[in-house]
């Protein structure tokens, strides 16, 4: 969670994939789509962590340009590496294509990365977004689009009941068409078409890893690619069949594994320290020196704007912060309520002053009347010192279980000691050469992870009984600066 002026949550709905055309006609980008894409580009980057400015960004752009040229879109697409550890790739109008550093880190060759970009270009050329352009797109995990209940888009997101992720969920037919077009573009760009199936296998392995290790520090996110680009075993087999149909023999065209390994060496892995660290149910920010811990049954998801929180019985909300206005913490809560409620009718309960782990705090219950019924909110705000304030906003049914969970969550906020802040270090991907005598245990033992063996296998696309050979380049995760 980066330091932001609250309540900066992106309210604009995005329309996906704005390029038209088929393989028999030159792809086109409509002027209106180009305008929308250019307008949304900086907003989207601000929402999802900004552009990642490491050397991997230029590498990704260069690969994307090769793919765009192969699709007949030379110099008409913008490829951006996003500073997010969420595993995803997506496209928005005007041929703006995004891939996260989380996704770049789990593939295993330049050709696999190229296949991801080619797949997204396939969605664009297939006009999949244009066919569904009346649908609103909202960001993932906790961002809700159910219509304006109250005139407050923020309350809509917190109180809604139908989740939409920040990229559109494609149909099976659209996925197949994007796969087919992507494989065609791979061959045209000079890459091994069989990399498309390898990439889908890597994504499947990542999905299994998250499912098996959920609750550990690496397993914080729903596998977004699997939700927005549904993965099936059939897609992997189908991609292999389509690659064979190109007439290109396996390994006849390069995958460029060595080039990829050189580029990802030093890539940030996991949370950016500027956004804080989500470690299971615990959040800690070494720069702001704050932290909290959610009770069992809760999940936390980091973003540049807020920590999204989901709990039992449909409880959902956010943790964020801002500057305290004149008037102190009560004024902060007042501004927060004004921004949150918009024109909604609400009954604001009595303000309860507290001291939580030495920090002045206020807890405020709010009952909001909407066209779809009553929404009950619980707000806790904290004076973090130095003019900074932080807050929780949770929406959910006020059962006894929920009340107890909220009391535990609100009571867990605390300021980090200097020692705690120093212990929170960023991690990076490091590429190393397997030496004679290396074992899975010896390589995994070098990992900065609570689940090193499984993470090592996932990052390197290894099956449980598979071991890299001496001389192979592999990825490990270490603390930055080691």
């Amino acid at each position: 969670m980066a330091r932001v002026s609250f309540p900066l949550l992106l309210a604009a709905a995005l329309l996906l994939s704005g390029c038209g055309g088929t393989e028999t006609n030159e792809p086109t980008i409509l002027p209106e789509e180009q305008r929308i894409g250019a307008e949304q580009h900086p907003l989207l980057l601000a929402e999802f962590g900004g552009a990642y400015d490491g050397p991997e960004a230029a590498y990704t752009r260069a690969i994307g340009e090769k793919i765009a040229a192969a699709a007949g879109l030379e110099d008409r697409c913008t490829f951006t590496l996003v500073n997010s550890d969420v595993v995803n790739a997506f496209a928005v109008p005007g041929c703006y294509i995004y891939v996260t550093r989380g996704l770049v880190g789990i593939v295993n060759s330049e050709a696999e990365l190229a296949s991801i970009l080619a797949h997204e270009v396939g969605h664009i050329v297939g006009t999949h977004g244009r066919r569904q352009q009346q649908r609103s797109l909202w960001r993932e995990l906790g961002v809700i689009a159910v219509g304006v209940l109250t005139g407050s888009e923020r309350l809509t997101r917190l109180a809604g009941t139908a989740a939409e992720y920040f990229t559109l969920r494609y149909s099976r037919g659209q996925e197949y068409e994007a796969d087919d077009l992507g494989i065609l573009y791979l061959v045209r760009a000079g890459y091994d078409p069989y990399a498309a199936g390898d990439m889908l296998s890597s994504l499947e392995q990542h999905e299994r890893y998250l499912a098996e290790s959920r609750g550990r520090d690496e397993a914080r996110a729903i596998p977004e690619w699997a939700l927005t680009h549904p993965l099936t075993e059939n897609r992997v087999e189908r991609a292999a069949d389509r690659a064979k149909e190109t007439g290109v023999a396996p390994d006849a065209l390069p995958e460029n594994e060595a080039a990829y390994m050189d580029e990802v060496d030093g890539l940030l892995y996991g949370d950016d320290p500027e956004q804080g660290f989500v470690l299971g149910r615990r959040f800690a920010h070494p720069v702001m020196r704050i932290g909290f811990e959610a009770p069992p049954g809760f999940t936390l998801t980091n973003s540049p704007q807020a920590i999204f929180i989901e709990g039992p019985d449909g409880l959902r909300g956010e943790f964020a912060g801002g500057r305290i206005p004149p008037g102190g913490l009560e004024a902060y809560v007042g501004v927060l309520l004004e921004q949150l409620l918009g024109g909604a009718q609400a009954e604001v309960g009595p303000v309860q002053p507290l001291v939580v782990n030495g920090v002045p705090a206020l807890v405020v219950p709010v009952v909001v009347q909407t066209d779809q019924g009553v929404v009950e909110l619980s707000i806790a705000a904290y004076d973090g010192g130095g003019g900074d304030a932080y807050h929780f906003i949770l929406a959910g049914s006020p059962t006894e279980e929920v009340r107890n969970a909220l009391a535990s969550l609100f009571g867990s906020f605390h300021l980090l000691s200097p020692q705690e802040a120093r212990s929170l270090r960023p991690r990076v991907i490091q590429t190393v050469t397997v030496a004679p005598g290396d074992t899975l245990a010896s390589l995994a033992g070098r990992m900065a992870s609570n689940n090193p063996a499984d993470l090592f296998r996932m990052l390197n696309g290894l099956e449980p009984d598979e071991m890299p050979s001496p001389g192979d380049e592999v990825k490990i995760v270490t603390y930055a600066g080691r």
Side-chain angles (χ1 to χ4, degrees):
M1 183 195 76
R3 187 184 301 273
V4 297
S5 58
F6 80 96
L8 183 58
L9 295 179
L10 185 63
L14 303 178
L15 297 177
L16 184 70
S17 181
C19 303
T22 69
E23 266 308 291
T24 58
N25 298 296
E26 182 179 356
T28 59
I29 302 175
L30 301 179
E32 179 64 11
E33 294 168 339
Q34 195 168 35
R35 182 189 65 80
I36 293 173
E39 288 177 352
Q40 296 296 341
H41 179 66
L43 297 174
L44 188 146
L45 288 180
E47 185 71 4
F48 294 117
Y52 188 73
D53 60 3
E56 300 84 2
Y59 179 64
T60 301
R61 284 195 300 272
I63 298 170
E65 286 299 333
K66 291 174 66 174
I67 295 297
L73 291 169
E74 187 171 11
D75 298 326
R76 287 188 280 170
C77 296
T78 299
F79 296 89
T80 304
L81 180 60
V82 180
N83 185 22
S84 170
D85 67 328
V86 166
V87 171
N88 210 352
F90 51 98
V92 297
C95 203
Y96 286 80
I97 294 175
Y98 304 85
V99 59
T100 63
R101 61 174 168 80
L103 181 49
V104 170
I106 70 164
V107 299
N108 286 288
S109 72
E110 182 177 306
E112 287 189 32
L113 178 55
S115 74
I116 291 166
L117 300 174
H119 179 93
E120 295 304 322
V121 171
H123 279 304
I124 287 173
V125 173
T127 68
H128 300 156
R130 188 180 295 171
R131 298 176 204 174
Q132 304 181 63
Q133 61 184 345
Q134 297 305 313
R135 293 185 60 178
S136 293
L137 304 179
W138 296 77
R139 71 168 183 269
E140 44 86 37
L141 287 174
V143 179
I144 309 302
V146 293
V148 179
L149 302 180
T150 65
S152 167
E153 291 162 340
R154 190 175 185 187
L155 182 60
T156 298
R157 290 195 298 272
L158 290 170
T161 57
E164 291 288 347
Y165 292 88
F166 67 75
T167 48
L168 196 62
R169 300 187 189 190
Y170 295 109
S171 70
R172 178 178 297 181
Q174 289 170 335
E175 288 299 329
Y176 285 166
E177 184 178 10
D179 286 345
D180 294 347
L181 291 172
I183 289 170
L184 175 64
Y185 303 150
L186 279 180
V187 174
R188 288 181 182 175
Y191 290 110
D192 186 345
Y194 295 88
D198 295 339
M199 176 271 293
L200 291 170
S201 294
S202 294
L203 291 166
E204 278 192 322
Q205 192 164 6
H206 175 256
E207 183 180 358
R208 290 196 303 271
Y209 168 78
L210 288 183
E212 293 168 0
S213 60
R214 187 166 298 281
R216 295 170 178 159
D217 63 345
E218 291 85 15
R220 302 171 339 280
I222 291 175
E224 284 78 9
W225 180 283
L227 289 167
T228 58
H229 304 257
L231 285 168
T232 65
E233 184 177 345
N234 182 59
R235 274 188 69 195
V236 177
E237 296 174 354
R238 189 178 180 280
D241 290 341
R242 293 298 180 270
K244 188 180 300 182
E245 289 171 6
T246 65
V248 176
D251 300 322
L253 292 175
E255 289 211 27
N256 295 346
E257 293 96 334
Y260 165 80
M261 285 293 190
D262 285 344
E263 290 293 339
V264 298
D265 188 34
L267 177 69
L268 182 65
Y269 179 83
D271 288 321
D272 186 329
E274 292 297 322
Q275 298 174 16
F277 293 89
V278 170
L279 307 169
R281 292 182 285 104
R282 185 167 65 92
F283 173 74
H285 202 301
V287 179
M288 299 179 186
R289 293 194 173 182
I290 58 170
F292 67 85
E293 183 169 354
F298 280 68
T299 60
L300 308 178
T301 303
N302 207 347
S303 88
Q305 311 302 338
I307 306 301
F308 299 112
I309 303 171
E310 293 188 274
D313 298 326
L315 188 67
R316 64 188 313 131
E318 69 172 29
F319 173 83
R323 298 291 292 176
I324 298 179
L329 198 57
E330 287 197 26
Y332 176 89
V333 172
V335 174
L336 186 64
L337 286 171
E338 181 180 348
Q339 296 286 345
L340 174 67
L341 299 176
Q345 294 185 348
E347 178 182 341
V348 179
V351 176
Q352 180 183 4
L354 299 171
V355 176
V356 177
N357 298 314
V359 178
L362 298 175
V363 175
V364 184
V366 181
V367 178
V368 185
Q369 299 292 332
T370 78
D371 293 339
Q372 297 186 6
V374 172
V375 177
E376 302 205 24
L377 305 176
S378 297
I379 299 174
Y382 308 84
D383 185 341
D388 292 326
Y390 304 94
H391 67 265
F392 293 99
I393 304 173
L394 277 298
S397 303
T399 64
E400 190 65 25
E401 180 183 4
V402 166
R403 288 193 186 95
N404 292 337
L406 290 176
S408 175
L409 176 65
F410 294 167
S412 71
F413 179 87
H414 63 282
L415 304 180
L416 301 184
S417 69
Q419 293 81 4
E420 287 176 299
R422 285 195 297 270
S423 71
L424 297 167
R425 294 184 289 165
R427 295 181 293 174
V428 297
I429 290 176
Q430 181 183 357
T431 57
V432 299
T433 303
V434 178
D438 269 339
T439 64
L440 178 65
S442 67
L443 291 166
R446 300 165 66 178
M447 302 274 283
S449 170
N450 290 337
N451 188 21
D454 289 344
L455 179 59
F456 178 79
R457 291 191 191 96
M458 185 275 290
L459 282 178
N460 293 286
L462 300 173
E463 296 300 327
D465 58 350
E466 189 177 0
M467 174 65 194
S469 302
D472 287 349
E473 291 289 311
V474 295
K475 293 174 285 184
I476 62 174
V477 173
T478 63
Y479 287 113
R482 278 188 56 180

